[in-house]
Amino acid sequence: MTKTMKISEAVVRRLPVYLRFLNELHKKNVQTVSSQDLGQKLDLNPAQIRKDLAYFGEFGKKGIGYDVDYLIEKIRQILKLDKVIPVALVGAGNLGRALCNYNAYLKDNMKIVAVFDALSNKVGESINNLKVKPMQELCPTIKELNVRIGIITVPAAEAQSVANQFVESGVEAILNFAPIIIKVPNEIRVHHADFTTELQSLAYYLD
Amino acid sequence: MTKTMKISEAVVRRLPVYLRFLNELHKKNVQTVSSQDLGQKLDLNPAQIRKDLAYFGEFGKKGIGYDVDYLIEKIRQILKLDKVIPVALVGAGNLGRALCNYNAYLKDNMKIVAVFDALSNKVGESINNLKVKPMQELCPTIKELNVRIGIITVPAAEAQSVANQFVESGVEAILNFAPIIIKVPNEIRVHHADFTTELQSLAYYLD
DNA sequence: TAGATTGTTAATCGATTAACAATC
DNA sequence: TAGATTGTTAATCGATTAACAATC
């Protein structure tokens, strides 16, 4: 079924979750896993997991399940994590620093290769072996390092301007942590990762 | 339509987005807003916005739109943000510190009132006027301060244990930043805010 | 009154789940 | 062979969007 076909966002968002758990199984030397097992651990319906994977190919064996290592390889390919993806981050505040230091965890081929900040007292600081650069260097650096994804961790007031600069520099996708909806051309993908929204929607479920 | 009725998660997640934008309008002294305006700014269908709000009451005026201040008040009530909600955080690493310092932004009545860490060298540190406490004090402190929401910013390996302690202490909802699915009793609400997942699903959309 | 915009019903669209033949 | 589990179709469920009468 590897045809061209719009895969729903919900499916795409589950793939990294599968990948993460498969990586754990790999570390534990588990060879094989069934959709049943996966579903139980990830709180998902097994049929859904099988269907998700089947959009991209026939990765399992009937009566057996999925080979862990093979499935890891396949999901990495699907998510384009089979080669290193250079990422840039703007906003060397607390959150930005946290994400940079997480770099180690971003093993699956995501690598923050440049950090920028508008404040001159931040510029030149070292974060996880990266020197913070001034905003003027954003565009040339992004082009030079072939950065494909941009992360925004600046205050809301500056987020749109940073997004514009990312777009002009040729970034293809943006992860925005600022609490504001940023507008970009259709061909650029934006994900919003705003934890105040997350926290406030949690409050609804309090008794 | 203020009946008891299961409101879908998708609806609840949009409410904080509305609230945030309405707060902006309020600051600009805008009196009234239509679902049309809202939809355009937030990239949502106007009909959807009207429907979302209509689950909770009749907040608009036909031919006019919604009174900004009144709608803010109503959404705050719906999200239970009309009184202060005490929040606790475990894990005083980079991410934890970032969230604590964000406290200022959490104006809408979410307040981090306690921070914990398992490492003795972290304990006693001051973050945003809060002293980091050792894990043994988690349960008594949470009960004393009536903490209702817990935030987890520890490594994946410790996240489940922290969640268990939150649950035992009487926390009602958890926001988990650790890259692992944590298991809790049904009556506890958990939201996962894992940015590696977010970043990896972005990669899918690269050309 | 004419124009605008809500609240709500009906229509559409899409995603999840159940069921089962195929097969390891 | 008997048991397990996939891939996939069909059934269900739920969410989004369109349309429009009500009304400010």
Side-chain angles (χ1 to χ4, degrees):
Chain A
M1 202 189 251
T2 331
K3 301 261 202 70
T4 348
M5 175 184 201
K6 282 143 262 129
I7 303 295
S8 93
E9 202 178 309
V11 174
V12 174
R13 281 176 180 280
R14 282 190 293 267
L15 294 178
V17 179
Y18 301 156
L19 179 57
R20 198 169 63 195
F21 184 65
L22 289 164
N23 279 331
E24 275 182 53
L25 291 179
H26 170 84
K27 249 191 283 176
K28 290 183 195 154
N29 289 313
V30 177
Q31 307 281 316
T32 289
V33 69
S34 68
S35 60
Q36 195 69 225
D37 299 343
L38 281 170
Q40 212 193 323
K41 289 296 183 175
L42 302 176
D43 275 338
L44 295 170
N45 183 301
Q48 182 170 64
I49 294 174
R50 293 200 299 279
K51 200 157 200 280
D52 283 355
L53 296 173
Y55 283 120
F56 303 99
E58 305 196 358
F59 302 145
K61 284 208 180 22
K62 295 186 168 120
I64 310 280
Y66 300 89
D67 182 274
V68 171
D69 288 2
Y70 181 68
L71 194 52
I72 287 175
E73 191 193 325
K74 284 302 176 185
I75 295 182
R76 284 229 177 100
Q77 281 173 15
I78 295 163
L79 291 175
K80 307 204 174 65
L81 299 174
D82 47 352
K83 359 186 183 351
V84 172
I85 299 178
V87 178
L89 182 147
V90 180
N94 279 294
L95 182 57
R97 310 176 84 86
L99 300 189
C100 287
N101 286 311
Y102 236 66
N103 230 345
Y105 288 69
L106 302 179
K107 58 171 158 55
D108 282 300
N109 284 325
M110 292 281 194
K111 188 151 194 266
I112 297 181
V113 296
V115 183
F116 304 89
D117 202 292
L119 299 175
S120 54
N121 63 328
K122 290 270 172 67
V123 172
E125 269 186 22
S126 240
I127 302 179
N128 206 27
N129 292 326
L130 282 175
K131 270 220 162 41
V132 177
K133 299 185 181 194
M135 292 303 285
Q136 308 94 272
E137 292 183 26
L138 188 139
C139 187
T141 306
I142 281 182
K143 284 176 174 161
E144 190 195 327
L145 299 178
N146 274 301
V147 166
R148 307 187 69 188
I149 298 182
I151 301 180
I152 298 178
T153 52
V154 300
E158 289 140 52
Q160 182 62 61
S161 151
V162 172
N164 296 346
Q165 291 176 71
F166 271 147
V167 171
E168 279 171 39
S169 309
V171 155
E172 297 165 58
I174 293 175
L175 181 54
N176 174 38
F177 285 85
I180 189 174
I181 308 288
I182 60 176
K183 304 280 188 180
V184 296
N186 273 336
E187 66 275 18
I188 309 289
R189 183 93 197 168
V190 178
H191 283 189
H192 289 272
D194 175 19
F195 72 91
T196 58
T197 294
E198 209 65 57
L199 205 46
Q200 291 186 343
S201 69
L202 256 190
Y204 175 81
Y205 298 98
L206 299 176
D207 296 319
Chain B
M1 201 188 251
T2 330
K3 301 263 203 65
T4 346
M5 172 182 203
K6 283 144 259 130
I7 303 295
S8 93
E9 201 177 313
V11 174
V12 175
R13 281 177 180 280
R14 282 190 294 268
L15 294 178
V17 179
Y18 301 156
L19 180 57
R20 197 169 64 195
F21 184 65
L22 289 164
N23 279 332
E24 275 182 52
L25 291 178
H26 170 85
K27 250 191 282 177
K28 291 183 195 153
N29 289 312
V30 177
Q31 307 281 315
T32 288
V33 68
S34 68
S35 60
Q36 196 69 226
D37 300 342
L38 281 169
Q40 213 194 322
K41 290 295 184 176
L42 303 176
D43 274 337
L44 295 170
N45 183 302
Q48 183 171 64
I49 294 174
R50 292 201 297 279
K51 201 159 198 283
D52 283 355
L53 296 173
Y55 283 119
F56 303 98
E58 305 195 0
F59 302 145
K61 283 207 183 20
K62 294 185 169 123
I64 310 280
Y66 299 91
D67 182 273
V68 170
D69 288 2
Y70 181 68
L71 194 52
I72 287 176
E73 190 193 325
K74 284 302 175 184
I75 295 182
R76 285 229 176 100
Q77 281 173 13
I78 295 163
L79 290 174
K80 307 203 175 67
L81 299 174
D82 48 350
K83 357 187 183 356
V84 173
I85 299 178
V87 177
L89 181 147
V90 179
N94 280 294
L95 184 56
R97 308 176 86 84
L99 300 189
C100 287
N101 286 311
Y102 237 67
N103 231 343
Y105 288 68
L106 302 179
K107 57 173 159 55
D108 282 299
N109 285 325
M110 293 281 194
K111 190 153 193 264
I112 298 181
V113 296
V115 183
F116 304 90
D117 201 292
L119 299 174
S120 55
N121 63 328
K122 289 270 174 64
V123 172
E125 268 186 24
S126 239
I127 302 179
N128 205 27
N129 294 325
L130 282 175
K131 270 221 163 40
V132 177
K133 299 187 180 192
M135 292 303 285
Q136 308 93 274
E137 292 182 26
L138 188 139
C139 187
T141 306
I142 281 181
K143 284 178 173 159
E144 189 195 329
L145 299 178
N146 273 302
V147 167
R148 309 187 67 189
I149 298 182
I151 301 180
I152 298 179
T153 52
V154 301
E158 290 139 52
Q160 182 62 61
S161 150
V162 172
N164 295 345
Q165 291 176 69
F166 271 147
V167 172
E168 279 170 38
S169 308
V171 154
E172 297 165 59
I174 292 175
L175 181 53
N176 175 37
F177 285 85
I180 190 174
I181 308 288
I182 59 176
K183 304 280 187 179
V184 296
N186 273 337
E187 67 274 19
I188 309 289
R189 183 92 197 170
V190 178
H191 282 190
H192 290 272
D194 175 19
F195 72 92
T196 59
T197 294
E198 208 66 56
L199 206 44
Q200 291 186 342
S201 68
L202 256 191
Y204 174 82
Y205 297 99
L206 299 177
D207 296 320

